[in-house]
Amino acid sequence: MEIRLLLVDDHDVVRTGLKAFLETQPEMVVVGEARNGEEALQKAGELRPHIVLMDITMPEMDGLEATRRLKALLPECLVLALTVHEDKQYLMEMLAAGASGYITKQAAADELIAGIHAVAAGNVYLQPALARWLLEDYQRLARQAGIQPHAHSEEGGQEVIGLETLSARERQVLELVAQGLNNQQIGEKLILSHKTVARHRERIMSKLKMHSRTELVKFAIRTGLVSLD
């Protein structure tokens, strides 16, 4: 399926570089560009992109306000934040505004492609290095609610679909994913190629019937693979 993209960034050089890179990717087509939030709303209405790659800090109308208005006007249009801000507050505000993902401009190219595909498939995507913020918040809320790290089924045992379905290597990969490491970082720790790590992650998600990093993080906490302490 063709993925139609709208690039929103106030720097011409950034948009030009992004467009050149993204149009080398199969199924991806850049249908338009905008310099600020106001232009983004206008272009989105005219061009009907599937995904808007949205910068945050822009003149006239920033990415936060543009995302709020865009989701109100065109709820089917998806937003993936692409920003210089590695900042928890911006992340939470963009997600609250309706964004389906958040990636910094310091991310590797393969992370951007993975993010676009994930959002296009209807999932939420967070740059792996930023997933730790969700983990920290989940841990804090769990401690406040008195939630124990091990979950139980109705029969009183551990989850029916649980860690026992994973190999030892898959458990290692899952633990590092839950800690916020990306494929390259996991590969360096386990002395594996990033492609091998990616295959392990695909098998983990298939076995656990999960579709996002957030689900994997929550599972790792519930089963005690990642400690709440």
Side-chain angles (χ1 to χ4, degrees):
M1 182 189 80
E2 181 180 86
I3 303 175
R4 294 166 55 83
L5 302 168
L6 173 64
L7 310 182
V8 184
D9 195 293
D10 59 327
H11 292 95
D12 293 347
V13 172
V14 172
R15 295 196 315 275
T16 300
L18 271 175
K19 181 178 181 180
F21 168 65
L22 292 171
E23 290 193 332
T24 67
Q25 304 301 309
E27 302 179 350
M28 293 188 188
V29 179
V30 176
V31 296
E33 302 176 34
R35 296 183 179 86
N36 55 57
E38 288 186 0
E39 280 191 18
L41 294 176
Q42 178 185 349
K43 293 288 183 68
E46 296 171 355
L47 302 171
R48 300 296 172 124
H50 297 126
I51 298 175
V52 177
L53 293 184
M54 184 77 77
D55 192 14
I56 295 179
T57 306
M58 296 180 290
E60 298 184 41
M61 184 188 295
D62 65 22
L64 282 168
E65 183 62 23
T67 298
R68 293 188 192 100
R69 296 192 186 188
L70 181 62
K71 295 303 291 183
L73 294 170
L74 299 170
E76 73 280 4
C77 188
L78 303 170
V79 176
L80 177 59
L82 182 60
T83 174
V84 297
H85 300 293
E86 189 171 337
D87 183 279
K88 183 177 180 180
Q89 185 64 33
Y90 276 120
L91 167 66
M92 297 305 183
E93 289 183 358
M94 282 298 289
L95 294 180
S100 297
Y102 193 103
I103 299 177
T104 68
K105 292 177 181 177
Q106 293 78 25
D110 63 343
E111 289 182 319
L112 176 58
I113 298 305
I116 292 172
H117 281 297
V119 170
N123 298 317
V124 173
Y125 186 86
L126 298 181
Q127 183 179 334
L130 309 182
R132 68 183 187 276
W133 290 332
L134 289 186
L135 174 60
E136 290 167 357
D137 280 356
Y138 187 89
Q139 291 173 334
R140 176 178 53 79
L141 292 172
R143 284 193 293 267
Q144 291 174 354
I147 297 174
Q148 297 301 315
H150 291 279
H152 298 277
S153 68
E154 292 181 359
E155 291 77 16
Q158 285 192 324
E159 295 179 341
V160 176
I161 299 178
L163 289 176
E164 69 277 2
T165 66
L166 304 181
S167 68
R169 177 65 82 187
E170 288 167 348
R171 293 188 190 193
Q172 288 179 314
V173 171
L174 174 57
E175 181 178 1
L176 295 173
V177 168
Q179 291 174 4
L181 276 66
N182 61 30
N183 288 353
Q184 182 175 345
Q185 292 167 328
I186 293 172
E188 291 172 355
K189 279 186 172 290
L190 300 181
I191 315 178
L192 300 171
S193 72
H194 72 276
K195 291 184 178 179
T196 299
V197 174
R199 287 195 293 270
H200 280 306
R201 286 182 56 182
E202 289 174 3
R203 285 196 292 269
I204 291 167
M205 297 183 85
S206 176
K207 287 181 178 181
L208 299 179
K209 303 185 187 307
M210 295 180 181
H211 308 285
S212 71
R213 175 177 294 275
T214 302
E215 289 180 292
L216 292 178
V217 171
K218 290 180 178 179
F219 175 83
I221 294 171
R222 289 199 307 270
T223 57
L225 188 63
V226 175
S227 174
L228 288 173
D229 297 328

